[in-house]
């Protein structure tokens, strides 16, 4: 165990209940099982017919990117933490050795494959580049699968990363027309294995947070894809149940974030809207009951805005995106609404606006979510 993580793990152990310790042991055993019985898992994957795939409807997405970004992606650009491509290209083992000088997220973020989703959505608007984009996306996703066999390597270390990749895989299956049956099978297999991994490594107990929401979004998408099988039904049920629970845990009654992070709040709300729309499109309106809570969250963000789409840098953030940079799920809009004074009692913020447009935000709330307050 690297010394820099020792304090963190001791804190986790100190705050862990007996139930959590047992859960962590089960997680470790499931990881060993996956590595030892990988072929057994693959053999048990239900077939995904063309009819089933054609019957799945994708959620609505708004695209706000310019052509120059498309050209940069086609030229090899992906998304890095603070655009730190040098850090991303450093070998994983070396990153572990160098400690705080590197950030594992700079390796993870490009592997979310969100840049491929941007290309797919752009290709629907630009027929001239459709073939070029199709070839690029197909090659890139298959290359990623070849380079990152389940469940080995850093891209399976966090179940959240798997959760964010599953919707991208589904969009590729639905929108990419040049996939042959074997390529389609491999991508469907990746959806299944990612969801299996998430279901056995959910961020629960003291790990509850925005990671949990991303993981459950992955389960919801995979659950719809494989909903004709018992395991798919189980993923869907689990994903929806935790999303309903966490909407009232992570989004406070006044609409503010329990995690005390403005950027993560946008991330979490977008994941909820993404799942809500996807489920409703596919005949499952169960999460519609969360609309009042999500609307309160949007109202909170509209009051906290310092501009048309800017929020104060309050709390932790990794500048990640629920869907992709410049891609917005279908969500309830709450207009930018300047106010003279507004207090959010549960989340602990007060906002004051002066006549000249200056905005003062006072934080008088909790530090974050217990028990770790991170």
């Amino acid at each position: 165990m690297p010394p820099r993580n020792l304090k963190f793990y001791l804190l986790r152990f100190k705050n862990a209940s007996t139930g959590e310790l047992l859960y962590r042991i089960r997680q470790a055993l499931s990881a060993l099982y996956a590595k030892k019985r990988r072929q057994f898992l693959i053999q048990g994957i239900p077939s995904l017919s063309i009819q089933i795939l054609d019957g799945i409807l994708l959620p609505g997405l708004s695209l706000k990117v310019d052509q120059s970004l498309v050209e940069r992606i086609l030229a090899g650009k992906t998304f890095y933490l603070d655009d730190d491509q040098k850090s991303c290209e450093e070998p994983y083992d070396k990153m572990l050795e160098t400690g705080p000088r590197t950030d594992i997220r700079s390796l993870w973020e490009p592997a979310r494959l969100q840049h491929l989703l941007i290309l797919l959505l752009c290709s629907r608007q630009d027929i001239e580049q459709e073939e070029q984009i199709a070839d690029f996306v197909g090659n890139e996703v298959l290359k990623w699968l070849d380079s990152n066999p389940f469940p080995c390597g850093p891209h399976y270390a966090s179940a959240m990363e798997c959760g964010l990749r599953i919707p991208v895989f589904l969009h590729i299956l639905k929108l990419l027309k040049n996939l042959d049956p074997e390529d389609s099978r491999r991508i469907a297999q990746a959806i299944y294995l990612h969801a299996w991994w998430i279901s056995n490594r959910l961020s629960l107990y003291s790990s509850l947070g925005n990671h949990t929401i991303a993981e459950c979004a992955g389960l919801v998408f995979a659950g719809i894809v494989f909903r004709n099988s018992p395991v798919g039904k189980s993923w869907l049920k689990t994903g929806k149940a935790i999303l309903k629970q966490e909407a009232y845990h992570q989004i406070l009654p006044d609409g503010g974030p329990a995690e005390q992070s403005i950027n993560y709040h946008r991330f979490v709300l977008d994941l909820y809207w993404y799942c809500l729309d996807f489920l409703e499109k596919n005949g499952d309106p169960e999460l519609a009951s969360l609309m009042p809570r999500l609307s309160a969250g949007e109202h909170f963000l509209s009051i906290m805005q310092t501009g048309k789409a800017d929020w104060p840098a309050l709390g932790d953030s990794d500048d990640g995106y629920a869907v992709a940079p410049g891609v917005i799920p279908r969500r309830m809009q709450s207009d930018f609404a300047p106010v003279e004074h507004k207090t959010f009692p549960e989340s602990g913020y007060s906002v004051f606006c002066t006549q000249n447009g200056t905005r003062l935000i006072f934080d008088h709330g909790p530090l974050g979510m217990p028990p770790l307050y991170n």
Side-chain angles (χ1 to χ4, degrees), residues 35-52:
K35 290 175 181 178
K36 297 287 187 182
R37 304 297 302 275
R38 178 178 181 273
Q39 283 305 123
F40 179 78
L41 281 173
I42 291 174
Q43 291 170 5
I45 296 176
S47 60
L48 188 61
S49 67
I50 296 295
Q51 291 75 18
I52 291 174

Side-chain angles (χ1 to χ4, degrees), residues 165-365:
R165 273 192 296 271
I166 286 175
V168 179
F169 287 145
L170 176 58
H171 277 83
I172 291 172
L173 274 180
K174 289 283 295 179
L175 300 179
L176 207 59
K177 305 304 181 185
N178 63 338
L179 290 172
D180 62 36
E182 175 59 19
D183 294 340
S184 295
R185 185 195 64 79
R186 289 186 63 200
I187 297 169
Q189 175 180 295
I191 293 175
Y192 182 96
L193 293 174
H194 273 53
W196 184 94
W197 189 247
I198 293 168
S199 68
N200 286 279
R201 300 185 65 81
L202 278 165
S203 297
L204 303 177
Y205 296 96
S206 61
S207 296
L208 279 167
N210 63 81
H211 280 225
T212 315
I213 307 305
E215 292 159 11
C216 288
L219 288 182
V220 163
F221 274 77
I224 290 291
V225 172
F226 289 101
R227 61 181 168 182
N228 291 333
S229 68
V231 69
K233 290 183 174 69
S234 174
W235 293 336
L236 189 57
K237 180 179 179 181
T238 298
K240 290 191 297 182
I242 296 176
L243 285 175
K244 285 198 287 187
Q245 167 194 297
E246 290 303 296
Y248 298 98
H249 172 220
Q250 298 193 36
I251 306 170
L252 298 172
D254 61 11
E259 200 165 354
Q260 298 295 301
S261 166
I262 304 301
N263 282 330
Y264 278 144
H265 200 38
R266 176 72 278 159
F267 178 74
V268 164
L269 286 169
D270 277 348
L271 285 169
Y272 269 103
W273 292 120
Y274 200 22
C275 290
L276 191 71
D277 187 32
F278 181 59
L279 286 168
E280 288 187 340
K281 287 264 181 32
N282 290 281
D284 189 340
E286 188 174 341
L287 294 189
S289 62
L290 303 181
M291 285 284 287
R293 202 66 159 200
L294 302 182
S295 300
E298 294 296 337
H299 178 69
F300 172 88
L301 286 179
S302 74
I303 298 296
M304 297 295 284
Q305 273 183 247
T306 55
K308 290 296 182 182
D310 297 314
W311 293 274
L314 297 175
D316 191 15
S317 174
D318 66 0
D319 300 321
Y321 297 86
V323 185
V327 182
I328 302 169
R330 185 168 294 162
R331 63 194 186 204
M332 178 176 291
Q333 297 299 316
S334 186
D335 294 333
F336 175 63
V339 294
E340 291 185 6
H341 169 238
K342 175 71 175 180
T343 293
F344 297 95
E346 288 87 7
S347 50
Y349 294 102
S350 289
V351 182
F352 295 86
C353 292
T354 64
Q355 290 184 347
N356 66 3
T358 301
R359 178 167 296 210
L360 302 175
I361 300 175
F362 294 88
D363 183 349
H364 47 83

Side-chain angles (χ1 to χ4, degrees), residues 78-91:
T78 51
F79 303 109
Y80 303 93
L81 179 70
D82 297 326
D83 217 24
D84 188 2
Q85 181 169 353
K86 182 178 179 182
S87 177
C88 178
E89 291 173 347
E90 189 173 14

